[in-house]
Amino acid sequence: MQSPMLTANSANAGALQPGPVMAWMLLIWQHRVLYLMLLPFAALTLTFGLWPIALSILVSFTENQTALSDAATYVGLENFQAVIADPEFRHSLSLTLLYTALSVVLNLSLALALALALSGPTLKRGATFYKLALFMPVVTPEVATFIVWKWMLNQDFGAVNAALSSLGLPAFAGTTKADSAFIALVIVELWHHVGFYTVVFLTNLQLLDASLDEAARMDGAGRARRIWSIWIPQLRPAIAINSLYALISFLKTFTAVIVITKGGPNFATNFVSYYAYTKFDLAQYGKATAMATILFVIVLALTLLVHLYSERKDYR
Amino acid sequence: MATLELIDVCKKFGASAVLQDVSLSVDDGEFVVFVGPSGCGKSTLLRTIAGLEDASAGLIRIDGAVVNGVDAAKRGLAMVFQSYALYPHMTVEQNMAFGLKLARLPKADIDARIKAAAEVLKIGDLLGRLPKTLSGGQRQRVAIGRAIVREPKIFLFDEPLSNLDAELRVQMRIELARLHARLKATMIYVTHDQVEAMTLADKIVVLQAGRVEQIGAPLDLYNRPANSFVAGFIGSPRMNFIAARIEAIGPQGVRAAIGGEGDLVHFAVDGSRLRIGDSTILGIRPESIAIRPAGDGETTGLAAEIILDEQLGSGTCVHAMTRAGDILVSYLQGQVPLRKGAAVRLSLPATACHLFDRDGTALVRLE
Amino acid sequence: MSAMRRLGPLIANLAMTALALMFLYPFYWLIVSSFRSQEAMLVNPLRLMPESFDLAAYTSIRLVGGVPIEVYSFNSMLITVLATVLAVATTALGAYALYRRPHLPGFKFVQFGFLLTMMYPAMLLVIPVYLVMFRIGLLGTYAGLVMFLALQPILFLMFSQFFRSIPRDLMDSAKMDGASEWQVLTRVVLPIAQPVVNTVFLIGFLLNWKQWLPILVVAASPDRYTLPVALLAMNTEYGINFQSTMALAALTTAPIVVLFLLTQRRVIGGFVAGAVKG
Ligand SMILES: Nc1ncnc2c1ncn2[C@@H]1O[C@H](COP(=O)(O)OP(=O)(O)OP(=O)(O)O)[C@@H](O)[C@H]1O
Ligand SMILES: [Mg+2]
């Protein structure tokens, strides 16, 4: 009785089965409310994200004079060749990479050390105050705080040298010498960012699996040993995410440069983003966007690398 | 009046086919249980019926009307989740009233329905509490109450009892059966607990890897499993399976040899599809095996040695190894003085033996 | 031995306190310096209290670059609040839709496009944004600025993270109760999300208050500048006046410091939530 009915229905079903395009449109129609919810966000992302990026990449293939006009002359890879041939760009790129490497390592290791210290029982009483102090620079406007640092590093009445000399230490040349300007930026940005990474580590430390630590303690492992072989491996996802954030932000370092050193002295802090920005000011749009594109590709590649690494190693 | 019909329903997540050609019809007032091992697609099937997932192909009909593409909110069904899924920011009463308010029911009706449901489920004094202050059993009652007040066409349950402890689970199972008897509503219930399936269901649907293995009344599935998967899945302790080679085929059934010595067993099954020498699988339920101490010149039955005896008080589970190395589990009522190491003889009654061909399909039993 | 045991934690706390004070010192120095003249600074850069509370600097910044300070403050407040409201609304809805049905046609594209935007050097994005604004006629308008600033990666990540923590069954359950997708959001998800929305709003406010480059580039004239942009202009153009710069920097920073002190637990927690792997 039932099977003939079934086959009749199946034939019916076949006839009703929509084609792929129809199915697609049906899906969109069914979920139209979700599409409407996404619309404003998608529109902003497109208009102020993807479109400018595409435009900027496009401009990197055009000639400077006509770059921003409607009838741009496309010159292929000329801008990229010019940029790569430019010794100052190569210098700038290696500076940026050096700065990024140094900053990522310093920030993450200091942050990890601080987080380990703050997570222990010893500093528990003042933990709120310590966290607050470390985090304050993260939220306050950089333009203001970097200007403060610029003046604090001032040779004549800056607090830094006054403090050094009152302690009987040699003076710090600050932004007047090439090496010290570079170091000054590393320190100022460390001050600005490290609180963020510390708090991320700290939160992840508090989520650690306590039973593993207890097991290791039963096995007679000392604190240093446990930190090294129990805690840090578990922090891997946090290390990955912090490295990612740090990589992206230090590769793009800009505000500190424009406020404190303006790329100087003698190009010692002329990082790629700042160099590209000065090219903009000189109306060399093609070159500027070529530099931006190169930096973008580097950020993208490194990000992908870190991401893949952390995915591969993440068994949780 | 609520019937449900599925016709060749398929569901794909990306490339993986989670449901394949599921066809099923559910009558009004029927209690249907989906069982199957973890990951076989029970929840997916239920969610597809609910409208929470879109079927990739096939038709779903409720009361005869095709509901593919109809939003879950508009299908008129209610679902009880394993995690209870109570709204944490609403009191018990608000939780139950939520769906009714959305449907713009008059306040008086809402109150009346909540009162009635609360009475049935004995949660009247919990109405003002927030879900986080309730115990697991109380939460589950509220979740069921939330479904009842909506007077849905069909109730859908996804393992509603699996988060409860054993005792509470039994109690709630009985209450659910009573509830069904009282409401006479169509209910579809997912579980991987076969006791729940056997006791609650009018009809059981056994699923494996996204396919329907068999549909039928609980005892039909128990007595006449369509294949070795269903045979092994339904019934506890599990059915025994051992290899058997066809030796003779006749109108009264077939004879097959098991074990190395070629002990012959008679099966009351239709052997017309078989040939002498075919390898098949014998299946027999532990409670069907008769077991006697060996010795006193007995020669009938399989000689075996007990390798494990599990004394359960109400019954005894005996694991016996034949000389060919097959292990057969037999379940005996009461406390039986058979101990590990004892030599025994097992007899496998022809009417209780199932025979499956090499693909696992059951051979038709002769009545 | 027991003395050692008591001394260890003491030393650790002292060291950590010293470090914390070093982190806070620039803020202190900023306030003190804004009350001290350049000459006084030259004599003693480290003085902890100003010789006198000299308000000269604060009166000198009544006008910065010819524009009254009130205008900058008003711009800061207006742009920050509007951009944050818009950011919270759009990212909450967007992140919710992307979370609910990540596999709908086009959704992956938006998500991916957004992540790409995060990676592009923002300061270089600003110039093409200038062109885009020009093309759609929003150049120099508050509307244009507000919309650009509403695109904030961390806010999106915070919302995504939160939505992922809501059990899917809860939303499915609301659907089964007959809720439309919109009602699921407004009657179930948002009430649960209330504290998170507050936190995201707070963090959006803090972040937008800091913004300077987009405003500098997109603003048609100084009377659209916000406090940080005016401060930057002072740093470069009228840069010699140390004391006034400090006063303006103090004004720019103070509201944020106060807000942060009042809400620090929530703000720090929120930042971390946005930085959890996802
Ligand atoms: N959203 C999804 N995307 C991809 N695969 C899914 C999705 N949901 C379920 N699956 C897959 O579909 C299969 C069936 O899942 P389903 O949850 O229906 O199983 P189940 O029978 O309910 O199992 P359990 O008894 O464990 O609840 C599983 O292999 C699962 O991994
Ligand atoms: Mg399931």
Side-chain angles (χ1 to χ4, degrees), chain B residues 13 16 18 36-45 53 158-159 190 192:
Chain B
F13 287 115
S16 70
V18 174
S38 189
C40 69
K42 303 180 295 289
S43 298
T44 306
L45 181 56
E53 306 281 356
D158 192 351
E159 309 206 23
V190 166
H192 57 244

Side-chain angles (χ1 to χ4, degrees), chain A residues 69-88:
Chain A
S69 73
D70 282 335
T73 324
Y74 287 88
V75 293
L77 292 175
E78 218 168 79
N79 288 317
F80 288 90
Q81 283 161 353
V83 162
I84 290 167
D86 174 4
E88 180 44 34

Side-chain angles (χ1 to χ4, degrees), chain B residues 47 50 52 71 73 77 81 83 85-89 98-99 102 146 150, chain C residues 101 168-170 172-180 183 187-188 191-192:
Chain B
R47 293 169 57 83
L52 296 170
D71 196 79
L77 314 180
F81 295 84
S83 60
L86 299 178
Y87 311 119
H89 58 298
F98 182 65
L102 290 179
R146 193 170 59 177
R150 301 223 9 255
Chain C
R101 291 276 171 161
R168 205 166 266 267
D169 281 357
L170 210 58
D172 287 341
S173 176
K175 286 241 68 148
M176 294 307 294
D177 266 342
S180 67
Q183 286 168 325
R187 313 263 316 241
V188 175
I192 303 174

Side-chain angles (χ1 to χ4, degrees), chain A residues 115-135:
Chain A
L116 286 170
L118 286 174
S119 71
T122 321
L123 298 180
K124 194 157 192 154
R125 277 257 192 91
T128 307
F129 167 67
Y130 302 141
K131 267 205 299 198
L132 192 126
L134 292 174
F135 209 78

